[in-house]
């Protein structure tokens, strides 16, 4: 079991401010970040083991520099006005006057990963891995735009590995994003031309690898 705590005073955070069609790097202000993490690994026996981790981050601006905004909308410690501008008649109403949150900063992240190794006798062994990662809501831009918001996410990956005894190779087949989650990982809202550019997470992908050990 490993435990950790952290505290950060962040001055002159450099973030992209959207000015028309031009993303511009600015010193957006200051922030205070603190949190804690715990990770554990347990060997349960009979080939079964388990690892898990959980992290909590409490991050907030303590100062937003004068004139800093997004698409011409000034930001303050208490408001992120882009919500009302982008979707004036939609679900943005719940977010009007929402306190601006640091981009790419989830409050909670949890990882759980069981592993099982099956002994095949003279034929070697099979290893089965599964991992699940849960991450709470984040925003991808300075203005916390709803169009670039990432909701709570669940990502599941899995793999199977075969290892013969007394050999110098192993083979692994697996898949990432098994549940085929789709969400925005990065992007920008170009308010000057009313365009939102976004890049999504890769869909479910399968892979096969061979490793040789010397």
């Amino acid at each position: 079991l490993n435990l950790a705590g952290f505290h950060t005073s962040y001055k002159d955070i450099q973030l992209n401010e959207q000015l028309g069609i031009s993303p511009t790097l600015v010193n957006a202000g200051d922030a205070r970040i603190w949190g804690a993490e715990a990770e554990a690994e347990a060997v349960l026996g009979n080939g079964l083991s388990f690892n898990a981790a959980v992290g909590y981050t409490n991050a907030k601006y303590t100062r937003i520099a004068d004139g800093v905004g997004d698409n011409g909308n000034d930001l303050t410690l208490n408001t992120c006005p882009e919500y009302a501008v982008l979707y004036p008649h939609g679900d943005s109403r719940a977010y009007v006057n929402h306190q601006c949150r640091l981009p790419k900063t989830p409050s909670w992240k949890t990882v759980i990963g069981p592993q099982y190794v099956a002994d095949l006798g003279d034929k070697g062994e099979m290893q089965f891995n599964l991992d699940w990662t849960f991450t709470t809501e984040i925003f991808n831009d300075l203005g916390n735009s709803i169009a670039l918001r990432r909701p709570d996410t669940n990502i599941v990956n899995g793999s199977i590995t075969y290892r013969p005894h007394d050999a110098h190779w192993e083979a692994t087949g697996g898949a990432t994003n098994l549940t085929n989650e789709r969400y925005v990982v990065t992007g920008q809202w170009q308010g000057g031309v009313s365009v939102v550019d976004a890049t999504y997470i890769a869909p479910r992908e399968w892979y096969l690898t061979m490793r040789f050990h010397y």
Side-chain angles (χ1 to χ4, degrees):
L1 175 66
N2 298 316
L3 301 174
F6 56 88
H7 184 280
T8 302
S9 294
Y10 202 155
K11 294 187 179 298
D12 291 329
I13 299 175
Q14 292 187 319
L15 297 171
N16 275 324
E17 175 183 0
Q18 192 68 31
L19 299 175
I21 62 173
S22 301
T24 304
L25 195 64
V26 297
N27 289 335
D30 305 331
R32 181 271 299 144
I33 305 169
W34 62 265
E37 298 176 346
E39 59 180 15
E41 183 175 356
V43 178
L44 305 178
N46 297 317
L48 181 63
S49 60
F50 187 90
N51 63 76
V54 60
Y56 171 71
T57 302
N58 185 298
K60 63 180 293 185
Y61 290 104
T62 57
R63 179 183 67 88
I64 294 182
D66 292 340
V68 169
D70 219 26
N71 290 289
N73 301 298
D74 288 344
L75 307 183
T76 73
L77 286 179
N78 297 316
T79 60
C80 263
E82 261 188 33
Y83 284 119
V85 173
L86 191 56
Y87 288 112
H89 304 298
D91 59 1
S92 63
R93 288 175 292 179
Y95 292 90
V96 173
N97 296 327
H98 186 278
Q99 185 175 10
C100 279
R101 290 169 51 182
L102 272 66
K104 310 287 188 182
T105 310
S107 296
W108 290 94
K109 186 170 185 177
T110 303
V111 179
I112 297 176
Q115 174 180 285
Y116 177 69
V117 178
D119 189 350
L120 305 179
D122 294 340
K123 295 182 179 180
E125 64 180 26
M126 297 283 287
Q127 177 177 313
F128 301 86
N129 288 85
L130 190 68
D131 65 81
W132 165 68
T133 301
F134 168 74
T135 308
T136 55
E137 171 191 64
I138 70 169
F139 294 93
N140 283 293
D141 64 336
L142 174 63
N144 290 184
S145 302
I146 283 184
L148 299 175
R149 167 182 170 268
R150 190 184 84 181
D152 295 353
T153 57
N154 293 274
I155 296 297
V156 180
N157 305 316
S159 66
I160 301 174
T161 300
Y162 171 69
R163 298 187 190 91
H165 288 316
D166 302 323
H168 296 285
W169 64 273
E170 64 181 44
T172 300
T176 58
N177 192 12
L178 278 167
T179 57
N180 204 32
E181 286 268 323
R182 301 293 282 160
Y183 57 80
V184 174
V185 293
T186 187
Q188 61 182 7
W189 174 37
Q190 300 179 1
V193 289
S194 299
V195 171
V196 177
D197 294 319
T199 300
Y200 282 76
I201 186 177
R204 182 188 303 113
E205 295 181 306
W206 304 89
Y207 64 89
L208 178 65
T209 61
M210 294 287 294
R211 294 184 176 90
F212 295 90
H213 306 281
Y214 298 96

